[in-house]
Amino acid sequence: MSALPSERSYDAADPEQALKYAIRHYAGDRVQVVEGVIEPMAPQWDHETLADDLRYQLFGRVRELGCVMGSGDLDLPGSSNWYIPDIAVVPRSLSKGGRTLLPDQTLLVVEVTSDSNADTDRVVKRRRYAEYGAPLYLLVDRQDRGCTLFSEPGALGYTRVAGPLPFGEPIELPEPFGLRVDTSEF
């Protein structure tokens, strides 16, 4: 994979770098780029409530692992993609300094679907997170009312899938988490 774009400048001759530079400086709003399309990030409260419930369940184990969780930028170099996941768990040492990270630097990426982008989370992001080496991708599908955990990423996608499990069924996060997530409140 190519190097991350510079945080301070860009090469105007490189359209990928120019697009990602523009996104980083988009009037302070949170936006992501999915397959070259700029998408504003404005989750509704039911979406945020579900993500908050999940963060609460993950918090203790994330701290034990020396990690942090948040919704920081993830770059996918060599593509027209710049994602802002609903939750990403990353080593604390990588989170300092305000830099953008790559999917393979995460321990877990979580996307919670919304009416406006459910298919993007189900198909496009799943494929891209696997391609860029995110070890665990948890899809929380609010429209289909279920969770699916994708693991063992490869060039052709994730090779292991647990689910979809309906809300109310627990989902097991493997090591390094070793955690059972209660989905009954989702």
Side-chain angles (χ1 to χ4, degrees), residues 2 15 18 23 49 52 55 70 77 81 114 118 125 142 157 172 181:
S2 64
I23 290 306
T49 299
D52 189 60
R55 284 185 201 102
N81 293 288
S114 294
K125 286 188 172 183
R142 291 175 42 239
E172 302 284 338
V181 175

Side-chain angles (χ1 to χ4, degrees), residues 22-33 37-43 47-48 55 69-74 82-88 98-100 110-111 125 129:
I23 290 306
R24 295 282 296 170
H25 299 88
Y26 188 79
D29 289 334
R30 301 226 358 123
V31 297
Q32 64 181 355
V33 183
V37 177
I38 298 170
E39 292 185 354
M41 303 295 294
H47 178 282
E48 286 301 298
R55 284 185 201 102
M69 72 180 133
S71 58
D73 300 334
L74 294 178
W82 183 277
Y83 294 164
I84 300 175
D86 291 303
I87 301 171
R99 10 178 263 151
T100 299
V110 179
E111 294 288 359
K125 286 188 172 183
Y129 282 136

Side-chain angles (χ1 to χ4, degrees), residues 168-182:
E169 293 282 325
I171 190 150
E172 302 284 338
L173 293 182
E175 293 300 329
F177 296 95
L179 186 68
R180 175 177 279 192
V181 175
D182 177 6

Side-chain angles (χ1 to χ4, degrees), residues 29-131:
D29 289 334
R30 301 226 358 123
V31 297
Q32 64 181 355
V33 183
V34 177
E35 302 300 313
V37 177
I38 298 170
E39 292 185 354
M41 303 295 294
Q44 295 181 349
W45 281 109
D46 55 345
H47 178 282
E48 286 301 298
T49 299
L50 192 151
D52 189 60
D53 288 345
L54 186 54
R55 284 185 201 102
Y56 181 78
Q57 292 185 59
L58 294 172
F59 183 77
R61 185 66 182 134
V62 167
R63 289 291 185 181
E64 289 172 4
L65 292 169
C67 294
V68 297
M69 72 180 133
S71 58
D73 300 334
L74 294 178
D75 188 15
L76 287 73
S79 77
S80 59
N81 293 288
W82 183 277
Y83 294 164
I84 300 175
D86 291 303
I87 301 171
V89 176
V90 300
R92 181 173 289 283
S93 61
L94 296 178
S95 70
K96 298 197 179 208
R99 10 178 263 151
T100 299
L101 298 177
L102 304 172
D104 66 0
Q105 294 175 303
T106 67
L107 276 71
L108 170 69
V109 174
V110 179
E111 294 288 359
V112 178
T113 64
S114 294
D115 291 334
S116 63
N117 71 353
D119 286 336
T120 298
D121 291 345
R122 289 180 193 124
V123 179
V124 177
K125 286 188 172 183
R126 181 187 74 210
R127 183 183 72 234
R128 290 295 191 177
Y129 282 136
E131 178 184 356

Side-chain angles (χ1 to χ4, degrees), residues 50 54 110-111 137-142 144-150 161-172 181-184 186:
L50 192 151
L54 186 54
V110 179
E111 294 288 359
Y137 174 48
L138 179 60
L139 175 66
V140 181
D141 195 321
R142 291 175 42 239
D144 288 345
R145 303 205 35 79
C147 296
T148 307
L149 179 66
F150 299 92
V161 178
L165 299 172
F167 287 173
E169 293 282 325
I171 190 150
E172 302 284 338
V181 175
D182 177 6
T183 66
S184 61
F186 289 3

